[in-house]
Amino acid sequence: MRVAIIGMGTAGVSILRQLEAHSYFSELDIDVYDDPQNMGQGVPFQNDSAQLLINLPSKDMSLNAHDASEFFNWYETQNQFKFDNATYLPRFVFGHYMKSYLEKFNQQYSNIHLITEKATEMYLEQGYEENARIQYFVCTNHQQEACRQYDYVFLTVGTMAYHDPYHLKGLKGYIPSPYPTYETLNEVDSTDDIAIIGTGLSSLDVIRYVVKHHPNLPITATSRHGELPSVRGNMIDITLRHITKENFESILRSHFGVVPLESMIRLFKQECEDYNIPLQELINRKVGDPIKDLKYDLAHPEILGVFQSILETIKENMNWIWNSLSLQDQEVFMKKYMPILKANSNPMPPRTARLLIEEISAGHVVIKKDLADVQYKNETYIFKYHNQVEPDYFNVVINATGPKTQLKDLDDDDAFIIDIANRQIVQPHPMGGIQIVPETNQVISPRHGTLPHLIAIGQITNGINQARNGVNMIVRQSVQAVKSLYDFHEQIR
């Protein structure tokens, strides 16, 4: 059976690892696609500054669904990278861990073929005979002769390009993506004033790098709300007792096949009560002063860690939770509750928080809220705020707003996704990404219906897999996706 994996970051390598573990692996002929730079590492874990840390403890992150400490054990046994404090390792180290498996498999197996080019198009063909199977053609370099035929395809294309909310892409001094950070200052003069749009995790990466390598400080990080991510507390193992499939199934039967949002929130509050979480206090703990907010989190690692652990466990189960809600309730959740979930999940390492306190206190970093607009005039960026009469002026702007989620917002940086949407192979989900079957990650095409042998995993599925694109969650999706492939393979052998 001919198999393609399009994109070899976290999801792509996870799929390959799951394929390799099966006894039928030798009967597959597998092509993997990505450019040379990202092959095996992906964009989030590409080679970059050692100051960019994974926001999970090293012992809690792994591509092995059965061994959460595999990455840390790999780090301990290798000799290429060594750090004094390995509790939170640099992100690029995880990328080399992933790449080590791809390189090992490539050397060990003749049925794996690395195609160091981006896929540019994909199209489908189906014969007219009864029960004819769809064949998938993946192309590179926009050439018909560069198309290869497959029985099964995994769409693991990684994150979509970053938002450009003020339409600045292409202007002098505008850096559309913060990664790799060690290249962000290549065209920046030592006297330039720098602003960062965004105050999330990506902006923290930029801050950590720029304050160490740019002499003209302070740098300003700004957004509408001006809130920094929370600080990771002491995480614990959580067993959900109220937000369970059994309770959801009972509610589904009595509410016409959906779980009302208020029922889900009620169950969530019961989970918090079981663990003595002061919910309202934690939700409303931020006072708008970055230093005070960071110090609060650092001073409350126990209770904050329990709260974060509950949210992380809910995220791990978000596939059946999220897709039990009506579309209307999903929209309400996105407006009312998703900001709370985002503010308290994906937290920064404590040492990043301490560094930020130090840099803000020293006047090297300024965090501002109420950003209203950014304009460009006479090679200068003009930042206007709702709470400030006079604008700020900058020579350089680094975009750290995070990746796009809606297909309608994509541009040439996501040409492959635009291509397969244009061919009606995929269609947009109203909450973001593309339509898939929640339980199987099978793509739902507006032209062909459900495509059982086209599987999408990762940020491209964010509308269905809301808040489920962390490494560990992608690994779990990969396990199920590969099981489906081998179930199909057994049928046709």
Side-chain angles (χ1 to χ4, degrees), residues 359-379:
E359 298 293 351
I360 295 171
S361 299
H364 297 162
V365 175
V366 175
I367 308 296
K368 301 189 76 165
K369 64 179 180 178
D370 288 327
L371 180 63
D373 192 22
V374 180
Q375 298 174 357
Y376 182 74
K377 187 176 182 181
N378 297 328
E379 298 189 352

Side-chain angles (χ1 to χ4, degrees), residues 290-336:
I291 292 180
K292 289 181 180 179
D293 291 341
L294 291 169
K295 285 184 175 180
Y296 179 98
D297 285 9
L298 287 170
H300 298 82
E302 300 299 333
I303 195 64
L304 196 58
V306 176
F307 184 45
Q308 291 167 348
S309 299
I310 291 174
L311 294 177
E312 189 68 19
T313 305
I314 288 173
K315 284 169 61 178
E316 291 172 0
N317 293 276
M318 201 66 162
N319 57 335
W320 56 266
I321 294 172
W322 178 250
N323 293 293
S324 298
L325 302 176
S326 69
L327 182 59
Q328 185 177 21
D329 275 351
Q330 286 181 350
E331 291 173 347
V332 174
F333 182 92
M334 291 297 291
K335 293 178 181 178
K336 188 174 182 179

